[in-house]
Amino acid sequence: MIRRIIYKASGVVLLVSMMSMFVFPTSTHALVPPMTHFGGLANFFIPCTCSANLWVYFTPLYLSSVPITGPLVYTPYATLPYPNFLSGVPGVWHLGGFVPGVQACWFYVGITCVPIPNYGMMTLVGTSLPGAK
Amino acid sequence: MLYFSLMNKKTIVLSIGFIFVVACSILYFIFKDNTPFVSPVSVNQKTECLVFQSQYPERDCFRIETETASLPVITTKTSYPCNATNAIEAEDCVIKEVQKSKAIDKCADLEGVAKERCLGVTTIKPSIDTSIISIKKPTVATSSQDPVALAVPLFKENPISSVISTITNSVDPALTLDGFLARLKESYPVRLYNFSDYQVAPGTEAQAYGVNFDKIDNTLVIGGTKITGLASADGFTLTFKAPALSNGTYDAYVENKNGTSQNSGQKVSIVITSSPAPRPVIQSASPSPALPTDSVTLSGQNLLSGSNLVTTLGALSSVSADGTSIRFNISDLDKTKELIKSGQLKGQVFPLMIYVQNGNGVNKDYFVLNVQF
């Protein structure tokens, strides 16, 4: 008898709990296109000496569920930093938003500046601490 | 253990599931986002009444402000000082929910519901006549400059539909594309990056590339000679005719109302000559793909001896070349050793972008050599 009551009560609570997840959904904070999300592990960076920003190379880089590799640009002031404020530091995971297709990294080569291609410019970014997995 | 021993397997599984769900629920309530948000209102009909209410009356002040499009925006900025113009005190409601009804007589009911849930209520009733907009304040001492009174004219200047559409999309402006572009423009004074050709003949048309060029009036200075009144439709390009200067290399910069691109540490130069030489061109590389330990030969044109190599893994100066080929070791590049040591790119193909710079200029398009780490 006790088993049966526990069994039924558990079933009801489980069902109600699962339904409550749909009744009280969490809010989302999606970025407005053309801004989109990214996440990745920074490998190294190049200071873009003409445009005063950083070209950061990520492996892996998640622009969707499929991991790729590639660079994004971090621009001080224009890119909003979030904790732990370690943008561009090798071995640190990054998560944020970026605007695709903005070629904003220019490197000085002695007589002129040349563009260093990238996927886009970060609009906001937060980081892990070094060594985080 | 005695409890579990009394139950069969099915009950144990259900109990574990129950515990899991309870744990998830607890975690949800601990970590759930309490940030106020505005429910979307896709269509605003002027016959609807709208009541804004909040579950978070304890929040700090918010404000009514005018954005670039001259539309009033209600934002929730917790750091906004309560004694500032247009501030609404902490006891007022932060916008949390929007309820709407086409029945005018329901407005009072909605307002009543809102009053139960927060201390202050903002009501927009179905009329363009903004005189009936009321922002009711709770027990807050009124100041000589009533912030609500200051805020109401913003509504008066705009139809309610504009107000609602703006409120519906009200997010932190700093997180919008416009906010980002505004910061970007502030962070970039006017800059000159390069020219369409490094060597140009006097009188020939060329382009200068940079950022924050004025749409109407820019001055390009080449070797002290000013070319004034240059327009830039996109803000990134200036088209000009090379000045009639004697053959030589000249520093260049751009001036406009945003400032000057003149930078003694990074001089952008252009060669004025009656016989312009073509830029370097890289056509192929061998081996390709290459290993980090490989010695690579680049083949192309105008690869002069003493050229500098600039790549995404570092730079090399005065590299030997014979005009059609140039040779270098990938391991000589600064970042190569670091990446091999860290192992972060192990197994990955890295696109090494290469520029060659010499007296003829820089190759126009970067060359990509895939390096297998």
Side-chain angles (χ1 to χ4, degrees), chain B residues 218-258:
Chain B
N218 300 277
T219 300
L220 175 63
V221 184
I222 297 177
T225 302
K226 291 189 174 182
I227 307 167
T228 57
L230 297 174
S232 175
D234 59 4
F236 303 107
T237 311
L238 292 176
T239 300
F240 67 99
K241 281 192 175 177
L245 298 169
S246 55
N247 290 0
T249 304
Y250 298 95
D251 295 335
Y253 58 91
V254 173
E255 291 176 335
N256 61 25
K257 66 180 183 185
N258 298 322

Side-chain angles (χ1 to χ4, degrees), chain A residues 3 13 17 29 77 108 115, chain B residues 6 18 21 33 186 188 267 355:
Chain A
R3 278 187 205 167
V13 170
S17 302
H29 297 272
Y77 184 72
Y108 190 65
Chain B
L6 290 172
F18 170 70
V21 169
D33 189 355
E186 287 172 25
Y188 279 162
K267 291 179 179 174
Y355 285 100

Side-chain angles (χ1 to χ4, degrees), chain B residues 291-367:
Chain B
L291 296 172
T293 52
D294 280 343
S295 180
V296 175
T297 301
L298 302 174
S299 300
Q301 297 163 10
N302 306 310
L303 304 176
L304 309 177
S305 185
S307 295
N308 299 319
L309 272 182
V310 177
T311 78
T312 42
L313 289 180
L316 295 172
S317 58
S318 299
V319 181
S320 63
D322 60 9
T324 56
S325 68
I326 193 167
R327 195 174 179 83
F328 72 100
N329 296 320
I330 297 176
S331 58
D332 290 341
L333 300 168
D334 295 341
K335 300 280 182 188
T336 308
K337 290 168 191 164
E338 287 178 29
L339 290 172
I340 291 172
K341 192 177 176 184
S342 69
Q344 288 182 340
L345 288 182
K346 193 174 183 180
Q348 303 284 336
V349 174
F350 177 76
L352 181 67
M353 297 163 200
I354 304 171
Y355 285 100
V356 173
Q357 179 259 315
N358 56 37
N360 286 14
V362 186
N363 49 314
K364 195 176 185 75
D365 300 313
Y366 59 90
F367 183 82

